[in-house]
Amino acid sequence: FGRMKPVIVVHGGAGRIFKEREEGSRAGVVRAALQGYGILKRRGSALDAVEEAVRSMEDDPHFNAGYGSVLNEKGEVEMDAIIMDGKNLDSGAVSAVKCIANPIKLARLVMEKTKHMLLTGCGAHLFAQAMGIPDTPGETLITERSRERWKKNLEPDSNPEEFQKDLGTVGAVAIDSEGNVACATSTGGLSNKLIGRVGDTACIGSGGYADNRSGATSTTGHGESIMKVVLARLILYHMEQGMSPEMAADTALDYMKTRVGGLGGVIVVNNSGEWAARFSTKQMSWATVKDDQLHYGIYAGERHTKSVDEALTSESEGF
C-alpha cells in the first residue's frame, strides 16, 4: 500500500519552439504535470494522471493537439491519440478524428468500452456519439496561428518540411503508488499533411508503450521515422536489457537518427520510478514531478527546479 513514490513526466512536443511561444509552452507543460501529479498524490491511478495531463495540453492552444492542432492539406483538423495501461497491456487509440475536443478521452473510452484498440475516422466519430461525447465544430479547434501556417505552406515557394520542425505532439507517462505505469500521447499531426495521414501517435509501440515489467514512454517528433524504428517499444527493450531510462532514450534516439535520419524526443519512466526527458531536436518542452519537486525545461541541458507548493502558488497567480 503506497509502496511507490508516484512520478509523472510530460512533454509538449519536440522540434523548434519559437521564441514568442516559449513561455506558453513552459507554463503549459508545468500546468499539465502539476494536474497529473495532483491525481497521483490523492492515490489516483497512473492512467487517470496521464489522461488528465494530456487533456490539459489538448485544451492549450500552444500545443499541436486538440485545440491548436495544425491543419491538413484541406485546411481541417485531423487528430490522433493513444493511451496504454502497463498493468495488463490494455490500450485504446483513435486516428484521423475530427470535431472532437479531447481525442485522449475518446482513446480511453475505446480501451474501456470496446473490445478493440484503435478506431479511425468516421467510425471513431460514431463511437464518440454513442458515448455521448458532444460534437465540437471543427473550426472551433482552429487557432489563428494554425490557419496562418496552413496558408503559408500552400504558397508555391513554401517548404512545409521547414515548418515541420515545430512539432507539438503532447504526451505523459506516470507511475502511481501501486507501481502501475501508463502512457498517453495526442497530436494534430503534420501541417498540410495528406487527408487521412496517420503518424506514429496512434500506433502502439511507436507513439507510446507501457508495461509494468519495464516502464512507460511517450514519443514526439517525425512520425514516419518513429514508426520505422517502433521507437517507444525500442526504448523499453533497451531498459529490459538493463539500461537506465536516460541511456535507453539516448540509444534509441541515436539509432533513429543514424538509421533513418529522424529526429524526435521521448519521456520515460521505469518501474522503479526513475525518469528521463531526452530529445535529438533543438528543443522539447517537458516537465516532471517526483518527491514533490517540479523540474522542467525546453533547451538541452536546461533544468529548472521548484517545490510543488511554490509552483502551485505561482500557478494560481499566473506565470
Side-chain angles (χ1 to χ4, degrees):
F1 182 63
R3 294 175 304 283
M4 276 303 306
K5 282 189 169 157
V7 182
I8 186 160
V9 195
V10 305
H11 71 73
R16 184 185 53 190
I17 296 158
F18 298 106
K19 266 280 180 268
E20 72 274 10
R21 305 181 61 75
E22 261 181 38
E23 265 325 287
S25 295
R26 266 199 201 91
V29 288
V30 165
R31 183 177 306 123
L34 290 171
Q35 289 183 351
Y37 190 66
I39 289 174
L40 295 172
K41 277 297 269 193
R42 300 190 294 273
R43 294 207 178 279
S45 68
L47 212 49
D48 286 344
V50 295
E51 181 187 3
E52 178 54 29
V54 165
R55 185 207 53 75
S56 159
M57 291 184 285
E58 284 177 342
D59 291 345
D60 186 327
H62 286 93
F63 304 110
N64 173 18
Y67 175 58
S69 287
V70 299
L71 312 185
N72 65 14
E73 55 176 358
K74 213 174 119 190
E76 297 177 333
V77 165
E78 282 188 327
M79 301 163 292
D80 308 329
I82 193 167
I83 193 165
M84 187 166 181
D85 182 351
K87 192 193 297 188
N88 46 19
L89 307 187
D90 276 350
S91 177
V94 293
S95 66
V97 296
K98 303 176 185 179
C99 307
I100 297 284
N102 296 109
I104 199 63
K105 287 186 171 173
L106 192 55
R108 174 90 185 250
L109 288 168
V110 170
M111 174 171 84
E112 293 183 342
K113 305 288 186 199
T114 77
K115 292 191 175 77
H116 307 311
M117 287 172 75
L118 172 59
L119 290 181
T120 195
C122 46
H125 196 172
L126 288 171
F127 173 66
Q129 287 174 328
M131 290 288 114
I133 292 181
D135 256 20
T136 305
E139 49 277 13
T140 60
L141 295 171
I142 299 176
T143 58
E144 194 46 48
R145 175 170 177 266
S146 296
R147 196 179 294 284
E148 283 305 305
R149 191 161 149 184
W150 172 72
K151 280 198 195 123
K152 242 200 182 92
N153 286 344
L154 289 179
E155 290 166 11
D157 57 349
S158 86
N159 176 11
E161 286 303 301
E162 199 26 57
F163 282 95
Q164 300 311 0
K165 294 194 172 67
D166 178 31
L167 295 160
T169 302
V170 305
V173 295
I175 186 164
D176 60 30
S177 57
E178 299 293 310
N180 291 314
V181 298
C183 71
T185 314
S186 180
T187 190
L190 292 179
S191 192
N192 297 64
K193 62 189 176 179
L194 294 181
I195 291 165
R197 178 264 187 188
V198 175
D200 65 294
T201 301
C203 302
I204 190 170
S206 294
Y209 203 81
D211 183 349
N212 281 5
R213 291 182 180 181
S214 44
T217 180
S218 168
T219 67
T220 166
H222 185 245
E224 281 71 13
S225 299
I226 290 170
M227 291 157 97
K228 286 174 186 176
V229 302
V230 197
L231 186 63
R233 191 65 193 82
L234 182 60
I235 292 166
L236 292 192
Y237 164 78
H238 286 315
M239 294 203 303
E240 286 157 7
Q241 305 302 304
M243 284 188 192
S244 69
E246 187 159 306
M247 185 75 192
D250 287 349
T251 305
L253 283 168
D254 190 52
Y255 176 73
M256 183 167 81
K257 192 173 178 177
T258 53
R259 187 70 178 88
V260 298
L263 300 180
V266 300
I267 51 172
V268 191
V269 66
N270 71 8
N271 58 5
S272 54
E274 298 174 292
W275 62 275
R278 309 292 291 169
F279 46 99
S280 52
T281 51
K282 264 212 175 93
Q283 292 145 288
M284 179 180 79
S285 54
W286 63 272
T288 184
V289 186
K290 180 180 182 175
D291 285 332
D292 288 317
Q293 291 289 303
L294 164 77
H295 309 276
Y296 60 97
I298 285 189
Y299 292 94
E302 176 194 359
R303 181 159 159 187
H304 306 281
T305 303
K306 281 181 180 178
S307 74
V308 165
D309 291 343
E310 186 191 343
L312 285 168
T313 309
S314 58
E315 174 70 20
S316 57
E317 291 162 4
F319 269 71

